Amino acid sequence: MTISPAVYAPPTPGPVPASALRRRDYHRLARAQANYRWWRPLVTLLTAATAYLALMLIILTGLTAAVLINPELEASLGLVDEQTDLYNPYQFMALMITLILLIPAVMIGVAGGRRPVGTLLSVAGRLRGGLLARSLAICLSVYLTVQLAFLTVSWVGGEPLVPSWHPYSGWLIAGALLIVPLQAAAEEFAFRALPMQVLGAWLRNPWWGILLPLPLFVVGHSYNPAGMIGVAGFALAAGVLVWRTGGLEAAIALHAVNNSLGFLFSALGWGDLNATDVTTLDTVVSLATVAACTALILWADQKNQSRQRIHISSHLGTPDRAQVGLAAK
């Protein structure tokens, strides 16, 4: 009996599963999908932008209707103010909601581009809890150590920074813990994940996706030149973390700790949320803090990967020679 050669035909190459990609290939996840076409990243980008505009229109329509029903809301909500006051709870919530809407908008964009939404988070197609927890622990340790150093210097200098309680402190602390982390994650979705994966579908070098969105992130902050340099340094560090760890977890942790602690310290009178002038010393300290967090996160992640490889190797043992030969064919 003759056996059809089709039995021995090699399988048709399929898409590269996200879990099989190297961590540094996060920016290439869109390219790895089975249904990839060169125009799908454009569809993703346009769908995300359209979704965000639609969500914003819904919010603005509701707000306009509320003001028409009760004109006094316009003053109480601070809509007539020329400058945003983050100590005003209504303006705080308005800004947070405006940014948090980026999360569903980007998710809708990725779904519109016919790609699993989980690929936004990491090469594993999900949020990696271990990496997120380690990154949070590292960032909290570094930032709190820096703040403790400031407090110590102030005590030694004879001008102690004593915490103070204000009428806005309670809700601001709650917002810092519950809402600001979502705002930080939203900016990582919009300024790291989306542009990095859209550009990465066409350009192999990850630095395109790290550097090109950087100016957009910087101009979204109203600081003096020294402050803008600090924001640029932060954006660069976040982009490197996304690239080297293969996902958003570490960047979200860095961003959430940076922003949440800023709001917490301001709630205790140790900062000014509305300040736009940043000193050179503050910028240097900020850049050093971000650099320390980035270096420690990458070091800890590398150590964790090494332990995992050793653990897997110890359980696999030596493969059978025949199996090795068969696999090689």
Side-chain angles (χ1 to χ4, degrees):
M1 181 178 66
T2 303
I3 300 177
S4 171
V7 175
Y8 299 99
T12 303
V16 180
S19 58
L21 292 175
R22 298 178 306 164
R23 288 191 168 203
R24 297 185 188 184
D25 289 331
Y26 170 83
H27 64 295
R28 303 286 283 175
L29 279 176
R31 183 90 180 193
Q33 303 307 305
N35 61 353
Y36 172 76
R37 301 293 184 274
W38 70 266
W39 45 265
R40 287 200 187 278
L42 285 177
V43 173
T44 295
L45 195 61
L46 292 174
T47 304
T50 302
Y52 182 71
L53 291 176
L55 292 171
M56 284 294 295
L57 183 60
I58 293 173
I59 296 296
L60 292 175
T61 301
L63 186 60
T64 302
V67 171
L68 289 175
I69 295 172
N70 185 4
E72 295 181 359
L73 285 175
E74 186 174 9
S76 61
L77 293 176
L79 299 178
V80 296
D81 297 342
E82 295 182 359
Q83 188 173 3
T84 301
D85 180 13
L86 290 177
Y87 292 101
N88 181 323
Y90 301 108
Q91 293 194 25
F92 169 83
M93 284 302 302
L95 178 62
M96 292 297 110
I97 291 174
T98 299
L99 294 171
I100 291 173
L101 287 178
L102 290 168
I103 294 178
V106 173
M107 287 182 171
I108 292 171
V110 170
R114 304 284 301 278
R115 181 157 59 92
V117 175
T119 56
L120 273 171
L121 298 173
S122 72
V123 292
R126 57 179 173 79
L127 189 72
R128 295 166 295 179
L131 177 58
L132 179 63
R134 287 193 302 273
S135 301
L136 284 171
I138 289 171
C139 293
L140 280 171
S141 300
V142 173
Y143 272 83
L144 291 177
T145 299
V146 171
Q147 183 64 21
L148 180 61
F150 268 112
L151 294 176
T152 302
V153 170
S154 70
W155 277 94
V156 173
E159 297 180 1
L161 297 174
V162 180
S164 55
W165 192 263
H166 303 277
Y168 56 76
S169 296
W171 68 260
L172 197 54
I173 290 174
L177 297 176
L178 302 175
I179 300 174
V180 174
L182 291 175
Q183 169 260 322
E187 293 190 8
E188 293 307 312
F189 270 65
F191 292 100
R192 247 67 70 183
L194 183 61
M196 190 175 290
Q197 292 188 338
V198 167
L199 293 171
W202 304 315
L203 305 169
R204 185 178 298 274
N205 193 318
W207 285 104
W208 292 106
I210 295 174
L211 296 178
L212 288 182
L214 193 149
L216 296 176
F217 182 77
V218 171
V219 299
H221 297 76
S222 302
Y223 294 119
N224 61 349
M228 291 297 195
I229 292 174
V231 172
F234 179 92
L236 180 63
V240 170
L241 283 174
V242 173
W243 167 41
R244 296 296 296 270
T245 63
L248 293 180
E249 299 92 345
I252 288 176
L254 176 63
H255 206 149
V257 169
N258 179 82
N259 289 14
S260 292
L261 289 183
F263 278 89
L264 283 173
F265 294 152
S266 296
L268 298 175
W270 290 343
D272 183 2
L273 291 176
N274 296 324
T276 57
D277 289 333
V278 180
T279 66
T280 302
L281 177 60
D282 287 340
T283 297
V284 171
V285 172
S286 175
L287 291 174
T289 303
V290 170
C293 290
T294 303
L296 289 172
I297 288 173
L298 294 178
W299 174 80
D301 186 52
Q302 186 64 37
K303 295 286 288 185
N304 182 68
Q305 290 185 67
S306 298
R307 285 194 298 268
Q308 289 180 347
R309 284 194 292 267
I310 293 173
H311 178 75
I312 292 173
S313 299
S314 63
H315 284 76
L316 286 179
T318 303
D320 182 78
R321 286 180 179 270
Q323 292 179 348
V324 173
L326 185 60
K329 295 180 180 179

